[in-house]
Amino acid sequence: MSKKHVMPKNFSTFAWAIGAFCFPITMYPVFILLSPNLTENPELSSLTLRAMTIFLWAYPIFLALWARVAYVWHKKDQRLGKLILSMGFMFFYGTLWMIFRWGFIIQA
């Protein structure tokens, strides 16, 4: 016997959180246009510049994978799913803040 799938009638708080977590993927074209400007900062080492550029080019993949992992774990254990998603929020926005703070702001 096949199991009948029931579509949800409304969005849960966790579904809204995943949507908010994945929203920066829509900003991908802007970050692609901004990433060459990192080379204008003379204070960045070659390794730091490369790491920041790779992050700006690859973050949508990591966000989508992290959201999927959080969703799967949320189905098994809601607390763990929320913890994984909140860690993803902190890591992503912390890294993004670091890139904008150190990469685009040149200290005079």
Side-chain angles (χ1 to χ4, degrees):
M1 295 229 126
S2 66
K3 189 174 166 182
K4 186 176 180 179
H5 295 285
V6 178
M7 293 296 292
K9 301 288 185 232
N10 55 7
F11 287 106
S12 66
T13 308
F14 188 76
W16 282 107
I18 284 186
F21 180 66
C22 291
F23 181 74
I25 293 175
T26 61
M27 299 301 292
Y28 184 66
V30 174
F31 290 142
I32 293 297
L33 291 173
L34 286 176
S35 65
N37 292 333
L38 286 171
T39 59
E40 295 175 6
N41 189 342
E43 297 177 7
L44 294 178
S45 68
S46 176
L47 178 64
T48 306
L49 177 66
R50 189 173 300 123
M52 288 181 177
T53 303
I54 289 171
F55 177 80
L56 287 177
W57 280 71
Y59 81 89
I61 295 167
F62 298 123
L63 283 182
L65 289 175
W66 197 274
R68 180 65 183 161
V69 167
Y71 175 75
V72 168
W73 277 102
H74 185 262
K75 287 173 69 175
K76 295 178 183 177
D77 182 9
Q78 289 188 354
R79 289 182 311 159
L80 185 58
K82 290 177 184 179
L83 178 67
I84 290 171
L85 189 62
S86 61
M87 286 180 2
F89 266 106
M90 290 186 294
F91 174 75
F92 175 72
Y93 286 108
T95 306
L96 197 62
W97 178 81
M98 180 196 69
I99 288 174
F100 280 103
R101 177 78 175 115
W102 294 340
F104 293 109
I105 298 175
I106 301 173
Q107 302 295 329

